[in-house]
């Protein structure tokens, strides 16, 4: 019997990787996004999840056994994030046919579950690291909690199992994505090489010195698909990272070496990428036109604000994965290899020279 999946946010980093894995494993895959997805083997559904009626109409006749929610919309305030992103999950799940499925719904959130929303990111009383899934929610409004609550309510109503997946910063490819550290660093390094500027670390002393981890999109995809097919993983939340830990003082040099630029470490000052790259749009356009690159718009590729938020955290950020490991999930990828694989893919597709 064929397996049918719906990937929501299929044009994003996590969604596109998940759809690719599902197609490879023989699933019939529907991909929902506001703009068309051209992924091979994916049947596209266009829908605005903020429009409940239109969402239900777009999903009519689609009866997926598994649903993977990998999307969100950034708003100006956390109150707006809660309203908008909670509604998106609610409208999606209400638009599916309860009598025919789904059997499982997976929701991708992230480490803001432990660190707080962008308005209060890494502030106040935070849980002890490494972060574990059984730690209490923070006593602060958070749209991830709103998304979870909509998922739990729909599961109780319609009888499907669920899983929640909390990646660290995701390494993967998706043009136009709002949170894209890997491509941001690739573009920044390319501009540094073009202008003979040093590749200057934009983050905090804590992130430079202390341990951290990250999540390759392929590892996230494998955990999503694993949870959807593993009975013991039903109705559980899971952290998901590559399986290694590193310090940015080591990784920054590795990335600089790959691009052939001079690495400049943390010097005690603040050098956020938003400031470093503020005037670089014209430089990138010149590079793109000269090298015949696919995307001349710098801000379609780079998200300096998000990279600054991740690299500016004042605490060590490492994640415990014992929960899924005990249940048999064993995917692993070294984070430097994940970065290098992304850079090679970006070069092959003429996104960077």
């Amino acid at each position: 019997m064929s397996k049918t999946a719906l990937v929501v946010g299929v044009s994003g980093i996590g969604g596109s990787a998940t759809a690719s894995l599902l197609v490879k494993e023989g699933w019939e895959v529907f991909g929902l996004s506001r703009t068309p997805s051209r992924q091979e083997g994916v049947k596209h559904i266009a829908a605005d999840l903020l429009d409940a009626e239109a969402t239900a109409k777009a999903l009519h006749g689609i009866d997926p056994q598994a649903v993977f929610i990998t999307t969100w919309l950034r708003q100006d305030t956390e109150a707006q994030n809660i309203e908008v992103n909670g509604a998106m999950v609610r409208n999606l799940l209400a638009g599916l046919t309860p009598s025919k499925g789904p059997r499982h719904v997976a929701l991708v959130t992230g480490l803001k579950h432990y660190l707080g929303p962008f308005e209060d990111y890494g502030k106040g009383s935070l849980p002890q690291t490494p972060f574990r899934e059984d730690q209490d929610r923070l006593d602060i409004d958070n749209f991830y909690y709103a998304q979870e609550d909509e998922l739990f309510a729909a599961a109780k109503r319609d009888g499907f199992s669920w899983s929640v997946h909390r990646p660290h910063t995701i390494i993967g490819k998706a043009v136009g994505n709002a949170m894209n550290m890997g491509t941001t660093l690739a573009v920044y390094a390319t501009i540094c090489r073009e202008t003979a500027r040093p590749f200057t670390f934009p983050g905090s002393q804590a992130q430079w010195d202390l341990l951290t981890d990250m999540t390759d999109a392929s590892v996230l995809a494998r955990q999503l698909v694993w949870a959807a097919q593993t009975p013991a993983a039903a109705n559980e939340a899971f952290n998901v990272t590559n399986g290694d830990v590193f310090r940015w003082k080591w990784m920054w040099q590795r990335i600089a070496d790959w691009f052939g630029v001079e690495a400049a470490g943390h010097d005690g000052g603040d050098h956020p990428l938003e400031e470093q790259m503020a005037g670089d749009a014209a430089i990138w356009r010149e590079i793109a036109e000269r090298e015949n690159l696919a995307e001349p718009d710098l801000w379609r590729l780079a998200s300096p604000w998000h990279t600054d938020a991740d690299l500016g955290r004042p605490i060590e950020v490492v994640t415990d994965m014992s929960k899924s490991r005990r249940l048999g999930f064993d995917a692993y990828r070294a984070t430097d290899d994940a970065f290098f694989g992304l850079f090679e893919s970006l070069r092959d597709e003429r996104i960077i020279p």
Side-chain angles (χ1 to χ4, degrees):
M1 182 180 296
S2 64
K3 296 175 287 187
T4 303
L6 172 65
V7 179
V8 183
V10 71
S11 60
I13 293 176
S16 60
T18 302
S20 294
L21 178 60
L22 290 164
V23 169
K24 183 178 179 180
E25 294 193 354
W27 291 62
E28 180 183 18
V29 181
F30 293 89
L32 188 151
S33 62
R34 288 175 296 169
T35 56
S37 169
R38 296 179 176 85
Q39 275 189 268
E40 186 175 351
V42 177
K43 301 174 183 178
H44 184 254
I45 302 170
D48 179 357
L49 294 180
L50 292 175
D51 187 330
E53 184 177 349
T55 297
K57 183 177 180 180
L59 293 172
H60 180 72
I62 307 298
D63 299 310
Q65 295 161 283
V67 177
F68 304 92
I69 306 173
T70 70
T71 189
W72 72 291
L73 283 176
R74 186 188 183 199
Q75 305 299 307
D76 291 336
T77 68
E78 193 60 17
Q80 292 171 322
N81 275 330
I82 289 169
E83 179 181 359
V84 167
N85 291 284
M88 288 169 62
V89 174
R90 182 169 62 252
N91 293 341
L92 169 72
L93 297 179
L96 295 169
T97 307
S99 62
K100 295 183 179 180
R103 299 177 188 172
H104 185 84
V105 178
L107 170 67
V108 177
T109 61
L111 293 199
K112 288 190 291 296
H113 183 94
Y114 307 109
L115 288 163
F118 286 122
E119 289 181 6
D120 297 288
Y121 198 48
K123 301 176 183 177
S125 178
L126 299 174
Q128 184 178 14
T129 58
F131 298 138
R132 292 180 168 84
E133 299 94 339
D134 59 359
Q135 290 167 328
D136 292 335
R137 289 179 173 182
L138 301 177
D139 187 19
I140 189 171
D141 292 338
N142 190 321
F143 82 87
Y144 282 170
Y145 307 160
Q147 288 181 307
E148 286 184 344
D149 289 342
E150 294 291 350
L151 174 67
F152 302 156
K156 184 177 181 180
R157 179 191 69 216
D158 296 336
F160 58 77
S161 65
W162 55 265
S163 57
V164 174
H165 303 261
R166 299 171 186 159
H168 199 154
T169 304
I170 302 174
I171 302 171
K173 177 166 55 62
V175 174
N177 190 269
M179 300 193 300
N180 196 338
M181 180 190 287
T183 302
T184 298
L185 294 181
V187 168
Y188 171 55
T190 301
I191 291 171
C192 288
R193 186 176 59 207
E194 175 78 9
T195 59
R197 283 155 42 185
F199 185 59
T200 302
F201 183 71
S204 67
Q205 189 74 56
Q207 288 302 298
W208 182 250
D209 289 332
L210 302 179
L211 292 172
T212 193
D213 48 27
M214 292 183 73
T215 307
D216 186 73
S218 67
V219 175
L220 171 60
R222 288 172 65 182
Q223 194 190 67
L224 287 166
V225 177
W226 164 82
Q229 301 178 99
T230 303
N235 306 327
E236 297 285 353
F238 298 104
N239 293 328
V240 51
T241 60
N242 289 335
D244 65 342
V245 295
F246 64 92
R247 303 180 202 276
W248 274 106
K249 64 171 58 178
W250 174 80
M251 186 67 76
W252 199 251
Q253 184 66 59
R254 296 277 287 160
I255 294 174
D257 289 346
W258 198 93
F259 284 96
V261 293
E262 175 192 353
H266 193 275
D267 62 5
D270 295 326
H271 307 286
L273 282 183
E274 277 204 297
E275 293 181 5
Q276 292 192 57
M277 300 181 70
D280 286 344
I283 295 171
W284 181 256
R285 186 168 293 277
E286 290 176 7
I287 296 171
E289 291 175 354
R290 185 186 71 225
E291 301 291 340
N292 194 29
L293 301 182
E295 180 52 71
D297 184 349
L298 175 63
W299 309 123
R300 288 267 298 154
L301 299 176
S303 51
W305 69 272
H306 175 256
T307 299
D308 285 341
D310 275 8
L311 296 183
R313 292 178 295 211
I315 61 170
E316 175 182 85
V317 180
V318 288
T319 311
D320 180 76
M321 277 192 64
S322 298
K323 191 176 186 181
S324 60
R325 297 296 192 216
R326 290 189 179 106
L327 295 177
F329 180 70
D330 61 0
Y332 167 87
R333 190 173 193 195
T335 300
D336 52 341
D337 287 343
F339 272 123
F340 300 158
L342 170 64
F343 300 155
E344 289 167 0
S345 178
L346 294 174
R347 184 168 284 174
D348 289 344
E349 297 190 20
R350 303 302 300 163
I351 294 173
I352 63 173

